[in-house]
């Protein structure tokens, strides 16, 4: 492998609200990583349109996700923040990867199966080749590290397969091996209404998730009303097995307080949920309150957010350009 500069890339879709899952599983980890690595964070608007998006709502959500990243502590002086559609290289490389990835690989993607549901025939072709665009996002910058929640693991394995097949097919040592960074206690935050389902921005019940747009009162209410069982909390992590709702809340507590689950259970083991929930509500409000308020403020500052995205896109395009030139040359595209 040629010497490769370490570089972080990650993305969030601007479809619906940012959730506590997005924050704990991804964005919060990015804040620490930007100090160690050259980092690129992308609002993936092209991924969002794989399912229908109202154009006005897409513009609003794109700014809101950017505002969320900034409010959470992504520093535009340190990292690149931009929206995907501003850098055309993503679409160009995705096409090349459409020709590298095999149908058999895409057929195994569980996220496509979940999102397309029973109505597979009516899903967009974009939804099917979604992971190829994701591979393009990462490899357009030859990124080496990708911090994500657990649900993106399979897509990153596909990214590695695409990179490897490209290198093999063309007899080059061009793309690096991408390393997923699945960090922290809360790599898979679950629904507050059903501990077997992932907390998701598309869940029909708003009570199932905490949105980064929720105010302090709403956050506290959702925690208080979160579903639990009737047993007391266990004293050891093993006691959380087969208790998905309890495990989820304890995991959220651990992540928000930067502790491990075992440590949290030392404080609450043997108790019922009343005190625990009230402490978790207070902790959530304490950690998320300043972020949600700053995010709301930034959402009013459209031209500031737009200027960050514009500058970021320029920087991203500068990094992408020579890499894409090389790729086109490897593939055999003539440029007289
Ligand atoms: P998206 O928009 O669904 O989610 C953004 C990030 O949040 C994480 N996440 C969660 N983590 C823990 N618990 C949850 N309940 C939870 N929900 C979401 C996701 O794992 C993700 O890290 N395909 C990606 C976006 C993307 C991307 C990329 C990511 C496009 N190109 C390139 C990395 C690199 C997605 O739909 O994420």
């Amino acid at each position: 492998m040629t010497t490769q500069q370490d570089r972080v890339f990650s993305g969030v879709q601007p479809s619906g609200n940012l959730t506590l899952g997005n924050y704990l599983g991804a964005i919060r980890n990015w804040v620490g990583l930007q100090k160690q690595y050259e980092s690129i964070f992308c609002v993936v608007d092209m991924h969002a349109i794989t399912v229908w998006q109202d154009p006005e709502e897409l513009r609003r959500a794109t700014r809101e996700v950017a505002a969320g990243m900034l409010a959470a502590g992504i520093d535009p002086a340190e990292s690149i923040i931009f929206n995907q559609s501003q850098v055309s290289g993503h679409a160009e490389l995705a096409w090349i990867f459409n020709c590298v990835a095999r149908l058999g690989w895409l057929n195994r993607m569980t996220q496509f199966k979940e999102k397309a549901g029973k109505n597979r025939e009516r899903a967009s072709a974009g939804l099917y080749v979604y992971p190829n665009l994701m591979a393009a996002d990462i490899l357009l910058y030859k990124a080496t590290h990708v911090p994500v929640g657990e649900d993106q693991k399979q897509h990153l394995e596909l990214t590695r397969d695409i990179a490897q097949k490209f290198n093999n097919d063309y007899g080059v040592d061009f793309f690096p091996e991408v390393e997923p960074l699945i960090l922290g206690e809360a790599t898979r935050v679950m629904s507050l209404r059903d501990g077997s389902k992932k907390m998701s921005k598309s869940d029909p019940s708003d009570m199932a998730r905490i949105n980064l747009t929720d105010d302090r009162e709403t956050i506290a209410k959702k925690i208080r009303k979160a579903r639990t069982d009737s047993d007391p909390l266990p004293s050891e992590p093993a006691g959380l097995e087969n208790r998905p709702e309890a495990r989820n809340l304890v995991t959220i507590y651990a992540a928000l307080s930067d502790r491990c689950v075992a440590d949290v259970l030392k404080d609450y083991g043997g108790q019922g949920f009343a005190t625990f929930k009230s402490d978790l509500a207070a902790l959530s409000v304490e950690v998320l309150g300043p972020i949600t308020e700053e995010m709301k403020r930034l959402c009013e500052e459209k031209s500031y957010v737009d200027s960050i995205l514009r500058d970021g896109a320029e920087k991203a395009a500068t990094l992408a350009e020579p890499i894409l030139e090389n790729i086109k040359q490897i593939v055999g595209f003539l440029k007289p």
Side-chain angles (χ1 to χ4, degrees), residues 9-19 21-23 25-28 30 40-48 58 61-62 64-66 68-69 74 82-84 130 134 137 147-148 152 201 212:
F9 184 99
S10 201
V12 188
Q13 293 195 62
S15 49
N17 292 314
L18 280 177
T19 68
N22 297 134
Y23 178 65
I27 300 174
R28 192 172 75 141
W30 304 353
I40 307 170
F41 301 117
C42 187
V43 186
V44 291
D45 46 7
M46 287 159 61
H47 277 107
L58 180 61
T62 301
E64 188 175 275
V65 169
M69 290 183 186
I74 303 295
F82 74 108
N83 58 311
Q84 189 185 29
Y130 176 116
M134 183 160 157
D137 295 339
V148 286
Q152 296 302 313
K201 38 193 161 201
L212 293 193

Side-chain angles (χ1 to χ4, degrees), residues 316-328:
T318 306
L319 293 179
E321 216 170 289
I323 298 174
L324 190 61
E325 281 296 307
N326 273 333
I327 296 167
K328 288 180 176 174

